[in-house]
Amino acid sequence: MVTIPWTAKNEHMGGECWLHIRFTLRRAELWAPRGHEVAWADLPVPASGRKGSSFIPLDSMVALLVDETAGLLRIQGSDFTAEFHKRRGEITALEYRGLPFLAAGPKVNLWRAPTDNDARQAKEWRKAGYDALLHRVDDISVGHHGSKAVRVTVESTLGAAGLGACFKASLIYTFYGSGDIVISARVKPLQDELPPRRGWGCR
């Protein structure tokens, strides 16, 4: 057991605190000089005096202005504006205090660059079309939680051209008067023999 002296006070720091430890050679070796780093580790540092994030009651948030047409949903708060393209089923513009913050809206993504360990499995992923999934929007619904929150639910079908549908996906966007946007996603396979894919995300 090694005891590391710790004197820094982190109770009033914001966010997370981590201790970075480096393991180096005490003396020179034939293969490396003295001080050469052979390993490292990052350890979380607890702070008992730090308070967690405060909860903002919905009633205390600013009311949202919502403008909806056949193809576009525009949501505006006190310092942000979001535009949602209903036919494409994605956020196409997001501004905070007049500055754009979005290059492209999130979409469900099941593909990643394969590693050496994935070489055999990646062939099955490509065969199933995971690297070329197309998104077809099936339905979009808009729900209002009073005037302080708006929920947009996008139901879509995923599949590669010529291979048929392989997944059903639901993306749920909740816009709050506080400026927070919470996105949750669900994916359901439509075929029994799809190759296993450990982990997925949005891009």
Side-chain angles (χ1 to χ4, degrees), residues 7 29 37-39 72-74 76 104 117 131 140 171 179 185 187:
T7 57
E29 301 289 348
E37 183 177 291
V38 294
L72 186 69
L73 178 67
R74 192 171 189 268
Q76 184 174 352
N117 294 333
D131 60 332
I140 292 181
L171 273 178
V187 175

Side-chain angles (χ1 to χ4, degrees), residues 17 22 37 67 75-76 81 97 103 106 111-112 115 124 141 182-183 192-194:
C17 293
R22 300 173 61 245
E37 183 177 291
D67 183 20
I75 303 169
Q76 184 174 352
T81 301
R97 295 183 177 178
W111 178 255
R112 63 167 172 78
T115 65
E124 297 298 320
S141 60
V182 178
I183 303 175
D192 295 331
E193 301 301 326
L194 289 172

Side-chain angles (χ1 to χ4, degrees), residues 6 27 31 37 40 46 56 67 69 106 126 137 140 142 146 159 164 175 178 180 202-203:
W6 178 260
R27 58 178 179 273
W31 50 274
E37 183 177 291
W40 59 268
I56 304 175
D67 183 20
T69 65
R126 289 190 176 93
V137 177
I140 292 181
V142 181
F175 301 84
S178 61
D180 294 293
C202 292
R203 61 171 175 83

Side-chain angles (χ1 to χ4, degrees), residues 25 27-34 36:
L25 292 177
R27 58 178 179 273
E29 301 289 348
L30 293 177
W31 50 274
R34 180 178 180 272
H36 177 77

Side-chain angles (χ1 to χ4, degrees), residues 88-104:
R88 289 159 51 184
E90 63 182 69
I91 302 174
T92 53
L94 178 63
E95 293 185 357
Y96 176 71
R97 295 183 177 178
L99 297 176
F101 270 74
L102 185 71

Side-chain angles (χ1 to χ4, degrees), residues 156-173:
S156 57
T157 302
L158 281 62
L163 297 179
C166 55
F167 294 97
K168 279 284 188 181
S170 299
L171 273 178
I172 303 171
Y173 305 79

Side-chain angles (χ1 to χ4, degrees), residues 125-171:
W125 295 345
R126 289 190 176 93
K127 185 178 179 181
Y130 289 4
D131 60 332
L133 291 178
L134 301 176
H135 295 245
R136 185 191 70 206
V137 177
D138 300 321
D139 183 65
I140 292 181
S141 60
V142 181
H144 297 261
H145 298 269
S147 61
K148 311 296 181 68
V150 176
R151 174 170 292 178
V152 181
T153 302
V154 181
E155 304 286 349
S156 57
T157 302
L158 281 62
L163 297 179
C166 55
F167 294 97
K168 279 284 188 181
S170 299
L171 273 178

